Amino acid sequence: QPGNLILAIVSEISMLPPLVYLVWFAHRQTPADECSVVLDDRDSTGSDSGSQQLSAEMVEKLSILLETECIQSLAFLDPQLTRSKLAAAIGTNSTYLSRYFAQKGTNFNEYVNGLRLDYACRLIKDSNEKNIALNKIAQDSGFANYRTFSRLFVGHFGISPADWRNGNIQKNKQINKKS
């Protein structure tokens, strides 16, 4: 019967969203669980906990988890984000996270502020003609205040946010005149 066939197909399709969610949720949990197993003191070398190096496998897993849990989810935009919160979100502890950053030649604050500054640049570039206040952009980028944002921006890019914005506005005007 055609009616029964259509009903069976609709019934099967309606089961897809819950199934897709369960598969996604199980997959999302797997890396953190695997990382928790991998991130065991026996997997590190050295005796001084402050100088222990993470294995290449652990560094790779943490890189993937940070990409997912911090960058793609935009967790770095939370002005209250701490190393402990981020470590918990990716299923590890702050000691291993500190070791990871040390092996990458940075620290938690530099990592998060770098992400925030890159995000702020995109917002500034996208808002050139919209006259969105730079202090609003600083806040939307996860900075507690404009002063900190401006100081870090100058330190990272060698130019103030206002000058960077004005330079982009001038570039856009020149590009638009050529078109």
Side-chain angles (χ1 to χ4, degrees):
Q1 296 252 5
N4 288 342
L5 179 61
I6 291 172
L7 185 60
I9 291 172
V10 169
S11 175
E12 292 297 321
I13 290 173
S14 68
M15 291 300 295
L16 279 177
L19 184 60
V20 168
Y21 175 76
L22 288 174
V23 169
W24 171 81
F25 185 77
H27 175 72
R28 184 176 176 268
Q29 296 301 317
T30 302
D33 294 342
E34 288 174 3
C35 194
S36 296
V37 172
V38 172
L39 297 179
D40 185 348
D41 286 332
R42 291 171 283 149
D43 290 336
S44 298
T45 57
S47 58
D48 177 19
S49 63
S51 65
Q52 291 179 348
Q53 294 287 307
L54 301 176
S55 70
E57 179 184 1
M58 290 166 44
V59 169
E60 178 63 23
K61 285 186 180 198
L62 284 172
S63 293
I64 292 167
L65 291 169
L66 284 170
E67 174 69 29
T68 303
E69 296 297 328
C70 187
I71 299 172
Q72 290 178 4
S73 71
L74 302 177
F76 62 90
L77 297 179
D78 176 5
Q80 304 300 318
L81 184 65
T82 63
R83 189 180 65 208
S84 297
K85 284 182 184 178
L86 182 56
I90 65 173
T92 190
N93 62 52
S94 59
T95 301
Y96 284 111
L97 198 54
S98 291
R99 290 180 190 164
Y100 167 83
F101 289 129
Q103 281 179 238
K104 293 291 189 175
T106 190
N107 63 45
F108 171 77
N109 288 333
E110 290 173 351
Y111 173 77
V112 171
N113 286 332
L115 295 173
R116 289 173 177 168
L117 289 169
D118 290 342
Y119 187 81
C121 283
R122 289 193 304 272
L123 291 180
I124 292 169
K125 191 172 183 181
D126 292 344
S127 71
N128 278 346
E129 301 301 326
K130 297 177 187 172
N131 293 323
I132 296 174
L134 288 172
N135 62 346
K136 172 77 170 124
I137 289 174
Q139 181 182 18
D140 291 348
S141 300
F143 291 97
N145 59 61
Y146 180 78
R147 187 176 182 176
T148 300
F149 164 67
S150 181
R151 178 179 48 82
L152 291 170
F153 197 98
V154 170
H156 190 79
F157 297 109
I159 188 171
S160 75
D163 289 342
W164 194 82
R165 171 186 256 174
N166 292 336
N168 277 319
I169 290 172
Q170 294 306 318
K171 281 187 222 174
N172 289 341
K173 285 180 180 177
Q174 289 172 354
I175 289 171
N176 291 336
K177 285 181 182 178
K178 291 179 183 177
S179 298

